[in-house]
Amino acid sequence: VYLANETLIAGVESGKVIEIGSTEVIPLEKIVNSKATILLYSGFGNEINNESQLEKLGIECMAIYDWKEKDPLGKAEWILLYGFLSGKEELAKEYMDGLKTRYTKLSEISFERSPNILAGNVYGDVWNTPNGESFVARMIKDAGGNYLFKDTKGTGSLLLNLEVVVLRSDSADFWI
């Protein structure tokens, strides 16, 4: 598990937060024993294996599609769902209102120059970079950057071979 948030780390260490692994191999017994009432999973693929069995056992399954958002504030609004699910709606609303105010204020700053930005990471021999209609591409634009793959379509990841990235990287001022 790749976690940096101290609250989540403490939750994992105490057993309050559990990792169940990939959606292809769902450990039913582990989930049932956790007494969970809802299972959140990444909506990258199809529905999770054993979803109908889990729902028969009273465990709702909910795909999370935050990665499909086009607007950074749209992605951030998912905090409202988590606030609802955790019984902390008001705290989530306050947080979202403050975030929206700060983001809007920062995105209105003008810059003399827009640095060229290359984003993403390598997995195997494939470079994963945000598509041009993604919330990440929008965030780079709002921060005054010129995202090098801004003209691509879609909200998920653009999968590139390393040669394309190396050729494009010549014009990058920053890699993030």
Side-chain angles (χ1 to χ4, degrees), residues 1 6 16 18 26 33 36 47 49 72 78 88 101 106 112 132 149 154:
V1 177
E6 291 180 16
K16 190 173 181 180
I18 62 170
I26 299 293
N33 288 340
E47 69 179 38
N49 287 337
W78 282 78
K88 297 185 178 185
T101 299
L106 288 170
E112 289 180 28
F149 291 100

Side-chain angles (χ1 to χ4, degrees), residues 2-176:
Y2 301 105
L3 295 176
N5 181 288
E6 291 180 16
T7 304
L8 283 176
I9 292 169
V12 169
E13 289 172 353
S14 71
K16 190 173 181 180
V17 175
I18 62 170
E19 178 187 3
I20 60 165
S22 73
T23 56
E24 289 84 33
V25 183
I26 299 293
L28 289 174
E29 188 174 333
K30 187 175 186 179
I31 295 170
V32 171
N33 288 340
S34 76
K35 302 200 182 346
T37 57
I38 189 165
L39 173 68
L40 306 177
Y41 67 95
S42 173
F44 287 125
N46 299 326
E47 69 179 38
I48 60 173
N49 287 337
N50 303 318
E51 184 169 341
S52 61
Q53 287 176 294
L54 288 167
E55 289 182 350
K56 285 178 187 173
L57 293 168
I59 301 170
E60 292 294 322
C61 298
M62 180 183 293
I64 302 300
Y65 291 105
D66 61 339
W67 57 275
K68 285 188 168 189
E69 296 290 349
K70 292 183 176 186
D71 185 286
L73 290 174
K75 172 149 172 82
E77 282 180 334
W78 282 78
I79 194 75
L80 298 173
L81 170 68
Y82 302 126
F84 172 79
L85 293 174
S86 64
K88 297 185 178 185
E89 284 179 84
E90 286 305 313
L91 183 61
K93 284 179 187 176
E94 286 176 33
Y95 180 83
M96 188 62 212
D97 288 344
L99 180 68
K100 183 177 180 182
T101 299
R102 291 187 306 275
Y103 187 91
T104 302
K105 186 176 179 179
L106 288 170
S107 68
E108 292 171 349
I109 296 172
S110 296
F111 298 93
E112 289 180 28
R113 181 179 174 279
S114 293
N116 291 327
I117 307 294
L118 181 66
N121 59 358
V122 68
Y123 184 76
D125 61 350
V126 176
W127 184 267
N128 295 276
T129 192
N131 265 309
E133 296 174 327
S134 68
F135 70 91
V136 175
R138 171 72 183 274
M139 197 166 16
I140 292 169
K141 178 184 177 205
D142 289 349
N146 178 42
Y147 180 49
L148 293 177
F149 291 100
K150 67 184 175 202
D151 295 327
T152 60
K153 300 293 180 201
T155 57
S157 292
L158 180 62
L159 307 178
L160 302 170
N161 65 46
L162 294 177
E163 291 81 8
V164 170
V165 176
V166 169
L167 288 172
R168 186 66 69 96
S169 70
D170 258 3
S171 62
D173 295 306
F174 298 101
W175 287 44
I176 57 173

